[in-house]
Amino acid sequence: MAVDFAHVLKIDARFSRPCAESRKEAVLPTGTDRVRRKPLARFLALAGFAMALASCQMFTPPDVQESGFQPSSKPVTVDNVAANSKLAEMAKAQHPRILATYGGEYSDPKLERMVAKVVGSLTVVSANPSQTYRITILNSPNVNAFALPGGYLYITRGLLALANDSAELAAVIAHEMGHVTANHGLQRQQLEAEEGFATKVVSDVLGDSPTAKAALIRGKLRLAQFSRNQELEADGIGIKSIGEAGFDPFAAGRFLQSMSAYTDFRSISGATDASLDFLATHPNTPQRIDLAQRHARQFGAPGVGTRDRDAFLAGIDGLLYGDAPEEGYVRGETFLHPGLGVSFSVPDGFIIDNSAAAVTATGPGDIAIRFDGVSIDRNRSLTDYIRSGWVAGLDERSVRQETINGNEAATAHASAEGWQFGIAVIRAGGQVYRLLTAAPSASTSLDAVARSVSGSFRILSAAEKAALKPLHIRVVTVRPGQTMGSLAAQMVGVDRKLDLFRVLNAMSPGAAVSAGDKVKIITDR
């Protein structure tokens, strides 16, 4: 079963997250359609992390030459790309949309110099050394990397936080360069055009018959397999590049393992198997790790090449981790926004995702929660607002005027397309906030969850707002007697501290730290 909050509750651009300066995060338009998710899956996708290398997004490749490598300390522009080029026009159109989607550019000269050094090393050995590559570090906690026409490469601060040395960063960047040099974007675009034409012919001739459905499925499988092959080819190109540049070629496999561990850490169930989705547009991680290690062995046994770990860790020391201050903070099962001065909590077992589109949460029994805000006339009653038509399937008899923790509020119920909804609208500080809870029609937990969430909404005190600080990656040196447990205990603002410490530092459960080691922790200092 699946539900689309935006459809059932008629959410549009007027009902965005409650922060005027916040970015609008959505599925990034790439010109390469992904396999369409069911509606609830699209909604819940906001709670997932887009994994670089495992789900990088590829655009049409560049054919434009520029002079000289320019590090990311200079803002990325496309003004000097060849005029009248369709590729340049695509880059010019997509760049601001990417910045808006991923929170803009993350500026840190020390970090940018470190990344630029890695890019420069790879440019020298790339298949097209005259191609200029420009890096933009995106201000997003998501783990992602992708490319634009003209040699523009994007990498999120979330990915930088997960990597552990320069060789792993080089593997990610070289993979994206591999997409560019192999013309994957153009190949993908051509194949999709062919598949789109074939789909239209099948639909026109065979209609909705079983034969037509089988033909369409075969087309989807061909397209998915094509994309998987592209990813594996880019892996091979990237590993060859980092090996030739003197980096540890086994870094690609290590980082794939780190991403797999991070995916499991973020998963509600803790156990996902991408290989079960045969229409997935990318190969499963075990296959990619195995192939990556095979490519790496062409350069020698493990230990060959440089990792340049100290330089990398120095570059990311102080890196913003998780939510940006203007987006509010998630602390365990509570969301707090110091700028707006509001907070709410979700029940045990729910996981909050503070995306740029909205604050969402998912929990047991396929229950989902969405928090956002809307500006309405101060003189308009909240019960009238609920009845104004933005809720599909509204039960008019359920609309109630209430007071929640001293704030004017209204609640209601709705049902549509196999789902039931609990709706709470709260006015606080001149802003109206909405807490929307969805559960399958057969669920008996909706009312309890919806009441718990709406009842937790409150105004933050001045002291609480002042105490909230952003989290950062800090690199510390292990002292004698310290253990993974004692180091993880130093971390603040995160749950499952020991598990996250292991993931961030690529340590297995049986691993141990030694005095003098450098490790990453998360702190608000």
Side-chain angles (χ1 to χ4, degrees), residues 101-168:
T101 299
Y102 285 89
E105 184 173 1
Y106 183 77
S107 180
D108 180 342
K110 171 174 64 72
L111 179 66
E112 292 163 356
R113 286 193 296 271
M114 183 272 291
V115 174
K117 180 181 176 182
V118 172
V119 176
S121 299
L122 294 172
T123 302
V124 174
V125 300
S126 69
N128 183 7
S130 63
Q131 169 69 59
T132 295
Y133 293 96
R134 298 187 179 200
I135 283 283
T136 297
I137 301 173
L138 297 170
N139 188 21
S140 170
N142 286 354
V143 178
N144 208 353
F146 43 89
L148 267 180
Y152 297 104
L153 306 179
Y154 296 83
I155 189 166
T156 62
R157 60 176 169 81
L159 187 145
L160 291 168
L162 186 60
N164 273 282
D165 56 47
S166 297
E168 291 183 3

Side-chain angles (χ1 to χ4, degrees), residues 325-341:
E326 61 272 16
E327 300 292 347
Y329 302 111
V330 176
R331 296 292 185 264
E333 290 157 344
T334 300
F335 172 76
L336 309 99
H337 199 301
L340 299 173

Side-chain angles (χ1 to χ4, degrees), residues 442-462:
S443 173
T444 59
S445 302
L446 174 69
D447 287 344
V449 172
R451 283 197 302 269
S452 171
V453 174
S454 62
S456 71
F457 180 91
R458 64 186 183 86
I459 303 297
L460 294 174
S461 68

